Amino acid sequence: MPPKDDFDLHAFLPYLLNQAAEASSLGFQASYKGRYGMLRTDWRVLFHLGIHGRMTAKDIGERAKIHKTKVSRAVQRLADRRFLTRERDESDRRSEFLELTQAGQAAYRDLRAIAQEYEARLTARFSAEDTVLLKRLLVELAR
Amino acid sequence: MPPKDDFDLHAFLPYLLNQAAEASSLGFQASYKGRYGMLRTDWRVLFHLGIHGRMTAKDIGERAKIHKTKVSRAVQRLADRRFLTRERDESDRRSEFLELTQAGQAAYRDLRAIAQEYEARLTARFSAEDTVLLKRLLVELAR
DNA sequence: AGGTAATAGTTGATTTTGTAACTAACAACG
DNA sequence: CGTTGTTAGTTACAAAATCAACTATTACCT
């Protein structure tokens, strides 16, 4: 019979990170899924384009650390909804420049506002210093 | 043309959490996937059984906050590998008690050691106080 | 130039997850 | 008892993620 054990799973960092990430993702998803029928990858791509403007799928993948097939399919979905346009790069015809349309920009601004609200709600329970520290440590861990 | 924008995605908490969680999960996965061909849910279930001993699928699901279908399938995989045994609860024949076999316990101890090493490596770059604070905030966020 | 390797992006096959419906067993209430 | 409602766990089907293979184009190398 397996004996009890004092290893604390709830103090295991990868486990904790997953729980927190899951909870916050679901919470945020609840905010935007109703509005546009978007997947997580979709809004990430939308945000990158909203923030940086015109860029290629490859650049998005690198910056956001999303695999190219995921980016490709998210771009397709966003293009289907007329949230972005594709334009072949004539100096290197393998890649294409992506750019938000008016509708895409509007959706981005809308979602950005929701994101900022959500962020505020999440961090409201922490002191400003704690929040800064938390983010610093998370950035460290992400590398 | 979409203008640049000063919203900082890398300071958006759900995004940061996902990046950190992803990175740490992958890192840990690299440690155990080679050893046993296990999925994330599998080792979670294994850990719960290793820590708490004999318990039902329902209990595992509740404690770990894993949906019952995921638990069910993880239990099946672990049973296939002879890592656990199932025993019907005769006082309530709907549920069954799960318990690690010798092989299951050995795998658990092995993975636990790897987890502890990995944890140590992850937190090595932080001060003890920072680590404590980080975990406290993550627990907060997970609720 | 010609051949080989590398790169951007897409597509298809296989796994894994999520959702809903199902079976079997128990509970509660008349 | 008998009907209705719940619960533990499984299964079936749809949505999504993963991985490999593919097309088209460019870069490298001799």
Side-chain angles (χ1 to χ4, degrees), chain A residues 17 131-143, chain B residues 12-13 16-21 126 134 138 141:
Chain A
L17 283 166
T131 302
V132 168
L133 181 61
L134 171 65
K135 289 187 177 182
R136 189 169 66 66
L137 299 180
L138 289 176
V139 169
E140 266 302 306
L141 287 170
R143 293 196 298 108
Chain B
F12 183 47
L13 206 43
L16 265 179
L17 284 166
N18 263 307
Q19 298 276 113
F126 308 141
L134 172 64
L138 289 176
L141 286 169

mmCIF file with all atom_site columns, all heavy atoms in Angstrom, chain A residues 17 131-143, chain B residues 12-13 16-21 126 134 138 141:
data_model
loop_
_atom_site.group_PDB
_atom_site.id
_atom_site.type_symbol
_atom_site.label_atom_id
_atom_site.label_alt_id
_atom_site.label_comp_id
_atom_site.label_asym_id
_atom_site.label_entity_id
_atom_site.label_seq_id
_atom_site.pdbx_PDB_ins_code
_atom_site.Cartn_x
_atom_site.Cartn_y
_atom_site.Cartn_z
_atom_site.occupancy
_atom_site.B_iso_or_equiv
_atom_site.pdbx_formal_charge
_atom_site.auth_seq_id
_atom_site.auth_comp_id
_atom_site.auth_asym_id
_atom_site.auth_atom_id
_atom_site.pdbx_PDB_model_num
ATOM 1   N N   . LEU A 1 17  ? 2.050  27.547 -11.704 1.00 0.00 ? 17  LEU A N   1
ATOM 2   C CA  . LEU A 1 17  ? 2.009  28.421 -12.874 1.00 0.00 ? 17  LEU A CA  1
ATOM 3   C C   . LEU A 1 17  ? 0.875  28.013 -13.800 1.00 0.00 ? 17  LEU A C   1
ATOM 4   O O   . LEU A 1 17  ? 0.130  28.851 -14.308 1.00 0.00 ? 17  LEU A O   1
ATOM 5   C CB  . LEU A 1 17  ? 3.336  28.360 -13.622 1.00 0.00 ? 17  LEU A CB  1
ATOM 6   C CG  . LEU A 1 17  ? 4.487  29.144 -12.997 1.00 0.00 ? 17  LEU A CG  1
ATOM 7   C CD1 . LEU A 1 17  ? 5.817  28.749 -13.622 1.00 0.00 ? 17  LEU A CD1 1
ATOM 8   C CD2 . LEU A 1 17  ? 4.260  30.642 -13.136 1.00 0.00 ? 17  LEU A CD2 1
ATOM 9   N N   . THR A 1 131 ? 2.992  43.523 -7.696  1.00 0.00 ? 131 THR A N   1
ATOM 10  C CA  . THR A 1 131 ? 2.681  43.294 -9.103  1.00 0.00 ? 131 THR A CA  1
ATOM 11  C C   . THR A 1 131 ? 3.929  43.432 -9.963  1.00 0.00 ? 131 THR A C   1
ATOM 12  O O   . THR A 1 131 ? 4.186  42.600 -10.844 1.00 0.00 ? 131 THR A O   1
ATOM 13  C CB  . THR A 1 131 ? 1.613  44.294 -9.582  1.00 0.00 ? 131 THR A CB  1
ATOM 14  O OG1 . THR A 1 131 ? 0.452  44.147 -8.764  1.00 0.00 ? 131 THR A OG1 1
ATOM 15  C CG2 . THR A 1 131 ? 1.252  44.044 -11.026 1.00 0.00 ? 131 THR A CG2 1
ATOM 16  N N   . VAL A 1 132 ? 4.703  44.448 -9.691  1.00 0.00 ? 132 VAL A N   1
ATOM 17  C CA  . VAL A 1 132 ? 5.940  44.654 -10.449 1.00 0.00 ? 132 VAL A CA  1
ATOM 18  C C   . VAL A 1 132 ? 6.870  43.458 -10.287 1.00 0.00 ? 132 VAL A C   1
ATOM 19  O O   . VAL A 1 132 ? 7.412  42.925 -11.263 1.00 0.00 ? 132 VAL A O   1
ATOM 20  C CB  . VAL A 1 132 ? 6.650  45.945 -10.007 1.00 0.00 ? 132 VAL A CB  1
ATOM 21  C CG1 . VAL A 1 132 ? 8.062  46.003 -10.578 1.00 0.00 ? 132 VAL A CG1 1
ATOM 22  C CG2 . VAL A 1 132 ? 5.844  47.158 -10.446 1.00 0.00 ? 132 VAL A CG2 1
ATOM 23  N N   . LEU A 1 133 ? 7.007  43.045 -9.048  1.00 0.00 ? 133 LEU A N   1
ATOM 24  C CA  . LEU A 1 133 ? 7.891  41.909 -8.784  1.00 0.00 ? 133 LEU A CA  1
ATOM 25  C C   . LEU A 1 133 ? 7.384  40.647 -9.477  1.00 0.00 ? 133 LEU A C   1
ATOM 26  O O   . LEU A 1 133 ? 8.145  39.927 -10.129 1.00 0.00 ? 133 LEU A O   1
ATOM 27  C CB  . LEU A 1 133 ? 7.999  41.674 -7.269  1.00 0.00 ? 133 LEU A CB  1
ATOM 28  C CG  . LEU A 1 133 ? 8.912  40.517 -6.860  1.00 0.00 ? 133 LEU A CG  1
ATOM 29  C CD1 . LEU A 1 133 ? 10.334 40.763 -7.327  1.00 0.00 ? 133 LEU A CD1 1
ATOM 30  C CD2 . LEU A 1 133 ? 8.882  40.302 -5.357  1.00 0.00 ? 133 LEU A CD2 1
ATOM 31  N N   . LEU A 1 134 ? 6.096  40.408 -9.329  1.00 0.00 ? 134 LEU A N   1
ATOM 32  C CA  . LEU A 1 134 ? 5.496  39.235 -9.969  1.00 0.00 ? 134 LEU A CA  1
ATOM 33  C C   . LEU A 1 134 ? 5.828  39.196 -11.454 1.00 0.00 ? 134 LEU A C   1
ATOM 34  O O   . LEU A 1 134 ? 6.283  38.174 -11.982 1.00 0.00 ? 134 LEU A O   1
ATOM 35  C CB  . LEU A 1 134 ? 3.978  39.266 -9.776  1.00 0.00 ? 134 LEU A CB  1
ATOM 36  C CG  . LEU A 1 134 ? 3.174  38.221 -10.560 1.00 0.00 ? 134 LEU A CG  1
ATOM 37  C CD1 . LEU A 1 134 ? 3.509  36.813 -10.091 1.00 0.00 ? 134 LEU A CD1 1
ATOM 38  C CD2 . LEU A 1 134 ? 1.670  38.461 -10.422 1.00 0.00 ? 134 LEU A CD2 1
ATOM 39  N N   . LYS A 1 135 ? 5.637  40.315 -12.108 1.00 0.00 ? 135 LYS A N   1
ATOM 40  C CA  . LYS A 1 135 ? 5.876  40.350 -13.547 1.00 0.00 ? 135 LYS A CA  1
ATOM 41  C C   . LYS A 1 135 ? 7.343  40.137 -13.884 1.00 0.00 ? 135 LYS A C   1
ATOM 42  O O   . LYS A 1 135 ? 7.677  39.454 -14.856 1.00 0.00 ? 135 LYS A O   1
ATOM 43  C CB  . LYS A 1 135 ? 5.380  41.675 -14.125 1.00 0.00 ? 135 LYS A CB  1
ATOM 44  C CG  . LYS A 1 135 ? 3.864  41.760 -14.121 1.00 0.00 ? 135 LYS A CG  1
ATOM 45  C CD  . LYS A 1 135 ? 3.356  42.983 -14.826 1.00 0.00 ? 135 LYS A CD  1
ATOM 46  C CE  . LYS A 1 135 ? 1.833  42.963 -14.834 1.00 0.00 ? 135 LYS A CE  1
ATOM 47  N NZ  . LYS A 1 135 ? 1.272  44.118 -15.561 1.00 0.00 ? 135 LYS A NZ  1
ATOM 48  N N   . ARG A 1 136 ? 8.187  40.703 -13.053 1.00 0.00 ? 136 ARG A N   1
ATOM 49  C CA  . ARG A 1 136 ? 9.618  40.532 -13.295 1.00 0.00 ? 136 ARG A CA  1
ATOM 50  C C   . ARG A 1 136 ? 9.993  39.051 -13.210 1.00 0.00 ? 136 ARG A C   1
ATOM 51  O O   . ARG A 1 136 ? 10.710 38.520 -14.054 1.00 0.00 ? 136 ARG A O   1
ATOM 52  C CB  . ARG A 1 136 ? 10.416 41.350 -12.276 1.00 0.00 ? 136 ARG A CB  1
ATOM 53  C CG  . ARG A 1 136 ? 11.905 41.406 -12.577 1.00 0.00 ? 136 ARG A CG  1
ATOM 54  C CD  . ARG A 1 136 ? 12.622 42.441 -11.720 1.00 0.00 ? 136 ARG A CD  1
ATOM 55  N NE  . ARG A 1 136 ? 12.639 42.132 -10.287 1.00 0.00 ? 136 ARG A NE  1
ATOM 56  C CZ  . ARG A 1 136 ? 13.287 41.096 -9.747  1.00 0.00 ? 136 ARG A CZ  1
ATOM 57  N NH1 . ARG A 1 136 ? 13.951 40.257 -10.513 1.00 0.00 ? 136 ARG A NH1 1
ATOM 58  N NH2 . ARG A 1 136 ? 13.259 40.903 -8.443  1.00 0.00 ? 136 ARG A NH2 1
ATOM 59  N N   . LEU A 1 137 ? 9.481  38.387 -12.194 1.00 0.00 ? 137 LEU A N   1
ATOM 60  C CA  . LEU A 1 137 ? 9.802  36.982 -12.010 1.00 0.00 ? 137 LEU A CA  1
ATOM 61  C C   . LEU A 1 137 ? 9.222  36.134 -13.148 1.00 0.00 ? 137 LEU A C   1
ATOM 62  O O   . LEU A 1 137 ? 9.865  35.201 -13.624 1.00 0.00 ? 137 LEU A O   1
ATOM 63  C CB  . LEU A 1 137 ? 9.287  36.494 -10.649 1.00 0.00 ? 137 LEU A CB  1
ATOM 64  C CG  . LEU A 1 137 ? 9.884  37.212 -9.431  1.00 0.00 ? 137 LEU A CG  1
ATOM 65  C CD1 . LEU A 1 137 ? 9.305  36.649 -8.139  1.00 0.00 ? 137 LEU A CD1 1
ATOM 66  C CD2 . LEU A 1 137 ? 11.401 37.120 -9.418  1.00 0.00 ? 137 LEU A CD2 1
ATOM 67  N N   . LEU A 1 138 ? 8.028  36.484 -13.578 1.00 0.00 ? 138 LEU A N   1
ATOM 68  C CA  . LEU A 1 138 ? 7.420  35.727 -14.666 1.00 0.00 ? 138 LEU A CA  1
ATOM 69  C C   . LEU A 1 138 ? 8.226  35.875 -15.952 1.00 0.00 ? 138 LEU A C   1
ATOM 70  O O   . LEU A 1 138 ? 8.408  34.911 -16.702 1.00 0.00 ? 138 LEU A O   1
ATOM 71  C CB  . LEU A 1 138 ? 5.973  36.176 -14.879 1.00 0.00 ? 138 LEU A CB  1
ATOM 72  C CG  . LEU A 1 138 ? 4.983  35.765 -13.785 1.00 0.00 ? 138 LEU A CG  1
ATOM 73  C CD1 . LEU A 1 138 ? 3.602  36.343 -14.063 1.00 0.00 ? 138 LEU A CD1 1
ATOM 74  C CD2 . LEU A 1 138 ? 4.903  34.246 -13.660 1.00 0.00 ? 138 LEU A CD2 1
ATOM 75  N N   . VAL A 1 139 ? 8.690  37.087 -16.187 1.00 0.00 ? 139 VAL A N   1
ATOM 76  C CA  . VAL A 1 139 ? 9.515  37.304 -17.377 1.00 0.00 ? 139 VAL A CA  1
ATOM 77  C C   . VAL A 1 139 ? 10.764 36.442 -17.303 1.00 0.00 ? 139 VAL A C   1
ATOM 78  O O   . VAL A 1 139 ? 11.153 35.779 -18.275 1.00 0.00 ? 139 VAL A O   1
ATOM 79  C CB  . VAL A 1 139 ? 9.896  38.793 -17.522 1.00 0.00 ? 139 VAL A CB  1
ATOM 80  C CG1 . VAL A 1 139 ? 10.973 38.973 -18.584 1.00 0.00 ? 139 VAL A CG1 1
ATOM 81  C CG2 . VAL A 1 139 ? 8.674  39.625 -17.869 1.00 0.00 ? 139 VAL A CG2 1
ATOM 82  N N   . GLU A 1 140 ? 11.364 36.420 -16.134 1.00 0.00 ? 140 GLU A N   1
ATOM 83  C CA  . GLU A 1 140 ? 12.533 35.557 -15.902 1.00 0.00 ? 140 GLU A CA  1
ATOM 84  C C   . GLU A 1 140 ? 12.211 34.105 -16.258 1.00 0.00 ? 140 GLU A C   1
ATOM 85  O O   . GLU A 1 140 ? 12.957 33.442 -16.984 1.00 0.00 ? 140 GLU A O   1
ATOM 86  C CB  . GLU A 1 140 ? 12.915 35.591 -14.411 1.00 0.00 ? 140 GLU A CB  1
ATOM 87  C CG  . GLU A 1 140 ? 13.977 36.593 -14.035 1.00 0.00 ? 140 GLU A CG  1
ATOM 88  C CD  . GLU A 1 140 ? 15.273 36.374 -14.783 1.00 0.00 ? 140 GLU A CD  1
ATOM 89  O OE1 . GLU A 1 140 ? 15.795 35.251 -14.725 1.00 0.00 ? 140 GLU A OE1 1
ATOM 90  O OE2 . GLU A 1 140 ? 15.741 37.325 -15.430 1.00 0.00 ? 140 GLU A OE2 1
ATOM 91  N N   . LEU A 1 141 ? 11.098 33.629 -15.733 1.00 0.00 ? 141 LEU A N   1
ATOM 92  C CA  . LEU A 1 141 ? 10.724 32.231 -15.921 1.00 0.00 ? 141 LEU A CA  1
ATOM 93  C C   . LEU A 1 141 ? 10.414 31.904 -17.373 1.00 0.00 ? 141 LEU A C   1
ATOM 94  O O   . LEU A 1 141 ? 10.573 30.773 -17.811 1.00 0.00 ? 141 LEU A O   1
ATOM 95  C CB  . LEU A 1 141 ? 9.516  31.892 -15.047 1.00 0.00 ? 141 LEU A CB  1
ATOM 96  C CG  . LEU A 1 141 ? 9.795  31.771 -13.557 1.00 0.00 ? 141 LEU A CG  1
ATOM 97  C CD1 . LEU A 1 141 ? 8.503  31.687 -12.773 1.00 0.00 ? 141 LEU A CD1 1
ATOM 98  C CD2 . LEU A 1 141 ? 10.660 30.544 -13.285 1.00 0.00 ? 141 LEU A CD2 1
ATOM 99  N N   . ALA A 1 142 ? 9.944  32.899 -18.095 1.00 0.00 ? 142 ALA A N   1
ATOM 100 C CA  . ALA A 1 142 ? 9.540  32.655 -19.477 1.00 0.00 ? 142 ALA A CA  1
ATOM 101 C C   . ALA A 1 142 ? 10.753 32.462 -20.387 1.00 0.00 ? 142 ALA A C   1
ATOM 102 O O   . ALA A 1 142 ? 10.617 31.956 -21.500 1.00 0.00 ? 142 ALA A O   1
ATOM 103 C CB  . ALA A 1 142 ? 8.670  33.800 -19.978 1.00 0.00 ? 142 ALA A CB  1
ATOM 104 N N   . ARG A 1 143 ? 11.919 32.835 -19.914 1.00 0.00 ? 143 ARG A N   1
ATOM 105 C CA  . ARG A 1 143 ? 13.099 32.717 -20.782 1.00 0.00 ? 143 ARG A CA  1
ATOM 106 C C   . ARG A 1 143 ? 13.730 31.321 -20.753 1.00 0.00 ? 143 ARG A C   1
ATOM 107 O O   . ARG A 1 143 ? 13.525 30.551 -19.828 1.00 0.00 ? 143 ARG A O   1
ATOM 108 C CB  . ARG A 1 143 ? 14.158 33.751 -20.368 1.00 0.00 ? 143 ARG A CB  1
ATOM 109 C CG  . ARG A 1 143 ? 13.685 35.164 -20.654 1.00 0.00 ? 143 ARG A CG  1
ATOM 110 C CD  . ARG A 1 143 ? 14.823 36.145 -20.615 1.00 0.00 ? 143 ARG A CD  1
ATOM 111 N NE  . ARG A 1 143 ? 15.472 36.229 -19.325 1.00 0.00 ? 143 ARG A NE  1
ATOM 112 C CZ  . ARG A 1 143 ? 16.705 35.734 -19.089 1.00 0.00 ? 143 ARG A CZ  1
ATOM 113 N NH1 . ARG A 1 143 ? 17.369 35.141 -20.047 1.00 0.00 ? 143 ARG A NH1 1
ATOM 114 N NH2 . ARG A 1 143 ? 17.249 35.838 -17.891 1.00 0.00 ? 143 ARG A NH2 1
ATOM 115 N N   . PHE B 1 12  ? 1.060  42.176 -19.929 1.00 0.00 ? 12  PHE B N   1
ATOM 116 C CA  . PHE B 1 12  ? -0.309 41.718 -19.719 1.00 0.00 ? 12  PHE B CA  1
ATOM 117 C C   . PHE B 1 12  ? -0.246 40.391 -18.979 1.00 0.00 ? 12  PHE B C   1
ATOM 118 O O   . PHE B 1 12  ? 0.328  39.418 -19.457 1.00 0.00 ? 12  PHE B O   1
ATOM 119 C CB  . PHE B 1 12  ? -1.017 41.582 -21.060 1.00 0.00 ? 12  PHE B CB  1
ATOM 120 C CG  . PHE B 1 12  ? -2.460 41.179 -20.963 1.00 0.00 ? 12  PHE B CG  1
ATOM 121 C CD1 . PHE B 1 12  ? -3.325 41.797 -20.065 1.00 0.00 ? 12  PHE B CD1 1
ATOM 122 C CD2 . PHE B 1 12  ? -2.960 40.188 -21.794 1.00 0.00 ? 12  PHE B CD2 1
ATOM 123 C CE1 . PHE B 1 12  ? -4.658 41.425 -19.985 1.00 0.00 ? 12  PHE B CE1 1
ATOM 124 C CE2 . PHE B 1 12  ? -4.297 39.820 -21.727 1.00 0.00 ? 12  PHE B CE2 1
ATOM 125 C CZ  . PHE B 1 12  ? -5.140 40.436 -20.816 1.00 0.00 ? 12  PHE B CZ  1
ATOM 126 N N   . LEU B 1 13  ? -0.834 40.394 -17.805 1.00 0.00 ? 13  LEU B N   1
ATOM 127 C CA  . LEU B 1 13  ? -0.641 39.275 -16.886 1.00 0.00 ? 13  LEU B CA  1
ATOM 128 C C   . LEU B 1 13  ? -1.020 37.899 -17.452 1.00 0.00 ? 13  LEU B C   1
ATOM 129 O O   . LEU B 1 13  ? -0.223 36.954 -17.358 1.00 0.00 ? 13  LEU B O   1
ATOM 130 C CB  . LEU B 1 13  ? -1.359 39.576 -15.573 1.00 0.00 ? 13  LEU B CB  1
ATOM 131 C CG  . LEU B 1 13  ? -0.823 38.899 -14.322 1.00 0.00 ? 13  LEU B CG  1
ATOM 132 C CD1 . LEU B 1 13  ? 0.683  38.925 -14.244 1.00 0.00 ? 13  LEU B CD1 1
ATOM 133 C CD2 . LEU B 1 13  ? -1.411 39.549 -13.078 1.00 0.00 ? 13  LEU B CD2 1
ATOM 134 N N   . LEU B 1 16  ? 1.721  36.864 -19.817 1.00 0.00 ? 16  LEU B N   1
ATOM 135 C CA  . LEU B 1 16  ? 2.939  36.530 -19.089 1.00 0.00 ? 16  LEU B CA  1
ATOM 136 C C   . LEU B 1 16  ? 2.827  35.186 -18.379 1.00 0.00 ? 16  LEU B C   1
ATOM 137 O O   . LEU B 1 16  ? 3.752  34.369 -18.404 1.00 0.00 ? 16  LEU B O   1
ATOM 138 C CB  . LEU B 1 16  ? 3.220  37.593 -18.036 1.00 0.00 ? 16  LEU B CB  1
ATOM 139 C CG  . LEU B 1 16  ? 4.164  38.706 -18.411 1.00 0.00 ? 16  LEU B CG  1
ATOM 140 C CD1 . LEU B 1 16  ? 4.285  39.674 -17.249 1.00 0.00 ? 16  LEU B CD1 1
ATOM 141 C CD2 . LEU B 1 16  ? 5.527  38.110 -18.753 1.00 0.00 ? 16  LEU B CD2 1
ATOM 142 N N   . LEU B 1 17  ? 1.711  34.984 -17.751 1.00 0.00 ? 17  LEU B N   1
ATOM 143 C CA  . LEU B 1 17  ? 1.495  33.726 -17.039 1.00 0.00 ? 17  LEU B CA  1
ATOM 144 C C   . LEU B 1 17  ? 1.567  32.546 -17.998 1.00 0.00 ? 17  LEU B C   1
ATOM 145 O O   . LEU B 1 17  ? 2.179  31.526 -17.698 1.00 0.00 ? 17  LEU B O   1
ATOM 146 C CB  . LEU B 1 17  ? 0.139  33.748 -16.337 1.00 0.00 ? 17  LEU B CB  1
ATOM 147 C CG  . LEU B 1 17  ? 0.059  34.575 -15.061 1.00 0.00 ? 17  LEU B CG  1
ATOM 148 C CD1 . LEU B 1 17  ? -1.386 34.795 -14.647 1.00 0.00 ? 17  LEU B CD1 1
ATOM 149 C CD2 . LEU B 1 17  ? 0.827  33.895 -13.932 1.00 0.00 ? 17  LEU B CD2 1
ATOM 150 N N   . ASN B 1 18  ? 0.939  32.725 -19.146 1.00 0.00 ? 18  ASN B N   1
ATOM 151 C CA  . ASN B 1 18  ? 0.971  31.649 -20.126 1.00 0.00 ? 18  ASN B CA  1
ATOM 152 C C   . ASN B 1 18  ? 2.379  31.355 -20.600 1.00 0.00 ? 18  ASN B C   1
ATOM 153 O O   . ASN B 1 18  ? 2.760  30.191 -20.727 1.00 0.00 ? 18  ASN B O   1
ATOM 154 C CB  . ASN B 1 18  ? 0.099  32.010 -21.327 1.00 0.00 ? 18  ASN B CB  1
ATOM 155 C CG  . ASN B 1 18  ? -1.270 31.394 -21.222 1.00 0.00 ? 18  ASN B CG  1
ATOM 156 O OD1 . ASN B 1 18  ? -1.393 30.196 -21.033 1.00 0.00 ? 18  ASN B OD1 1
ATOM 157 N ND2 . ASN B 1 18  ? -2.297 32.218 -21.309 1.00 0.00 ? 18  ASN B ND2 1
ATOM 158 N N   . GLN B 1 19  ? 3.134  32.390 -20.862 1.00 0.00 ? 19  GLN B N   1
ATOM 159 C CA  . GLN B 1 19  ? 4.497  32.201 -21.341 1.00 0.00 ? 19  GLN B CA  1
ATOM 160 C C   . GLN B 1 19  ? 5.331  31.469 -20.298 1.00 0.00 ? 19  GLN B C   1
ATOM 161 O O   . GLN B 1 19  ? 6.063  30.530 -20.614 1.00 0.00 ? 19  GLN B O   1
ATOM 162 C CB  . GLN B 1 19  ? 5.150  33.551 -21.650 1.00 0.00 ? 19  GLN B CB  1
ATOM 163 C CG  . GLN B 1 19  ? 4.481  34.361 -22.724 1.00 0.00 ? 19  GLN B CG  1
ATOM 164 C CD  . GLN B 1 19  ? 4.928  33.959 -24.118 1.00 0.00 ? 19  GLN B CD  1
ATOM 165 O OE1 . GLN B 1 19  ? 4.123  33.427 -24.876 1.00 0.00 ? 19  GLN B OE1 1
ATOM 166 N NE2 . GLN B 1 19  ? 6.181  34.176 -24.460 1.00 0.00 ? 19  GLN B NE2 1
ATOM 167 N N   . ALA B 1 20  ? 5.209  31.913 -19.057 1.00 0.00 ? 20  ALA B N   1
ATOM 168 C CA  . ALA B 1 20  ? 5.994  31.301 -17.986 1.00 0.00 ? 20  ALA B CA  1
ATOM 169 C C   . ALA B 1 20  ? 5.554  29.861 -17.742 1.00 0.00 ? 20  ALA B C   1
ATOM 170 O O   . ALA B 1 20  ? 6.391  28.965 -17.591 1.00 0.00 ? 20  ALA B O   1
ATOM 171 C CB  . ALA B 1 20  ? 5.870  32.122 -16.707 1.00 0.00 ? 20  ALA B CB  1
ATOM 172 N N   . ALA B 1 21  ? 4.251  29.642 -17.751 1.00 0.00 ? 21  ALA B N   1
ATOM 173 C CA  . ALA B 1 21  ? 3.726  28.300 -17.516 1.00 0.00 ? 21  ALA B CA  1
ATOM 174 C C   . ALA B 1 21  ? 4.163  27.359 -18.632 1.00 0.00 ? 21  ALA B C   1
ATOM 175 O O   . ALA B 1 21  ? 4.599  26.233 -18.383 1.00 0.00 ? 21  ALA B O   1
ATOM 176 C CB  . ALA B 1 21  ? 2.213  28.332 -17.405 1.00 0.00 ? 21  ALA B CB  1
ATOM 177 N N   . PHE B 1 126 ? 16.189 33.056 -7.993  1.00 0.00 ? 126 PHE B N   1
ATOM 178 C CA  . PHE B 1 126 ? 15.463 34.008 -7.164  1.00 0.00 ? 126 PHE B CA  1
ATOM 179 C C   . PHE B 1 126 ? 15.899 33.908 -5.714  1.00 0.00 ? 126 PHE B C   1
ATOM 180 O O   . PHE B 1 126 ? 16.356 32.853 -5.269  1.00 0.00 ? 126 PHE B O   1
ATOM 181 C CB  . PHE B 1 126 ? 13.957 33.758 -7.220  1.00 0.00 ? 126 PHE B CB  1
ATOM 182 C CG  . PHE B 1 126 ? 13.400 33.692 -8.599  1.00 0.00 ? 126 PHE B CG  1
ATOM 183 C CD1 . PHE B 1 126 ? 12.411 32.767 -8.921  1.00 0.00 ? 126 PHE B CD1 1
ATOM 184 C CD2 . PHE B 1 126 ? 13.848 34.553 -9.598  1.00 0.00 ? 126 PHE B CD2 1
ATOM 185 C CE1 . PHE B 1 126 ? 11.883 32.704 -10.201 1.00 0.00 ? 126 PHE B CE1 1
ATOM 186 C CE2 . PHE B 1 126 ? 13.332 34.495 -10.888 1.00 0.00 ? 126 PHE B CE2 1
ATOM 187 C CZ  . PHE B 1 126 ? 12.353 33.571 -11.184 1.00 0.00 ? 126 PHE B CZ  1
ATOM 188 N N   . LEU B 1 134 ? 6.256  34.964 -4.852  1.00 0.00 ? 134 LEU B N   1
ATOM 189 C CA  . LEU B 1 134 ? 5.767  34.506 -6.158  1.00 0.00 ? 134 LEU B CA  1
ATOM 190 C C   . LEU B 1 134 ? 4.692  33.438 -5.990  1.00 0.00 ? 134 LEU B C   1
ATOM 191 O O   . LEU B 1 134 ? 3.608  33.517 -6.571  1.00 0.00 ? 134 LEU B O   1
ATOM 192 C CB  . LEU B 1 134 ? 6.929  33.949 -6.982  1.00 0.00 ? 134 LEU B CB  1
ATOM 193 C CG  . LEU B 1 134 ? 6.560  33.247 -8.293  1.00 0.00 ? 134 LEU B CG  1
ATOM 194 C CD1 . LEU B 1 134 ? 5.927  34.222 -9.270  1.00 0.00 ? 134 LEU B CD1 1
ATOM 195 C CD2 . LEU B 1 134 ? 7.781  32.581 -8.932  1.00 0.00 ? 134 LEU B CD2 1
ATOM 196 N N   . LEU B 1 138 ? 0.727  33.532 -6.998  1.00 0.00 ? 138 LEU B N   1
ATOM 197 C CA  . LEU B 1 138 ? 0.186  32.569 -7.958  1.00 0.00 ? 138 LEU B CA  1
ATOM 198 C C   . LEU B 1 138 ? -1.004 31.823 -7.364  1.00 0.00 ? 138 LEU B C   1
ATOM 199 O O   . LEU B 1 138 ? -1.995 31.582 -8.059  1.00 0.00 ? 138 LEU B O   1
ATOM 200 C CB  . LEU B 1 138 ? 1.272  31.575 -8.389  1.00 0.00 ? 138 LEU B CB  1
ATOM 201 C CG  . LEU B 1 138 ? 2.371  32.145 -9.285  1.00 0.00 ? 138 LEU B CG  1
ATOM 202 C CD1 . LEU B 1 138 ? 3.436  31.092 -9.564  1.00 0.00 ? 138 LEU B CD1 1
ATOM 203 C CD2 . LEU B 1 138 ? 1.791  32.680 -10.589 1.00 0.00 ? 138 LEU B CD2 1
ATOM 204 N N   . LEU B 1 141 ? -3.906 34.040 -7.628  1.00 0.00 ? 141 LEU B N   1
ATOM 205 C CA  . LEU B 1 141 ? -4.413 34.138 -8.994  1.00 0.00 ? 141 LEU B CA  1
ATOM 206 C C   . LEU B 1 141 ? -5.156 32.884 -9.428  1.00 0.00 ? 141 LEU B C   1
ATOM 207 O O   . LEU B 1 141 ? -6.049 32.945 -10.268 1.00 0.00 ? 141 LEU B O   1
ATOM 208 C CB  . LEU B 1 141 ? -3.260 34.398 -9.964  1.00 0.00 ? 141 LEU B CB  1
ATOM 209 C CG  . LEU B 1 141 ? -2.682 35.805 -9.926  1.00 0.00 ? 141 LEU B CG  1
ATOM 210 C CD1 . LEU B 1 141 ? -1.389 35.875 -10.729 1.00 0.00 ? 141 LEU B CD1 1
ATOM 211 C CD2 . LEU B 1 141 ? -3.685 36.818 -10.461 1.00 0.00 ? 141 LEU B CD2 1
#
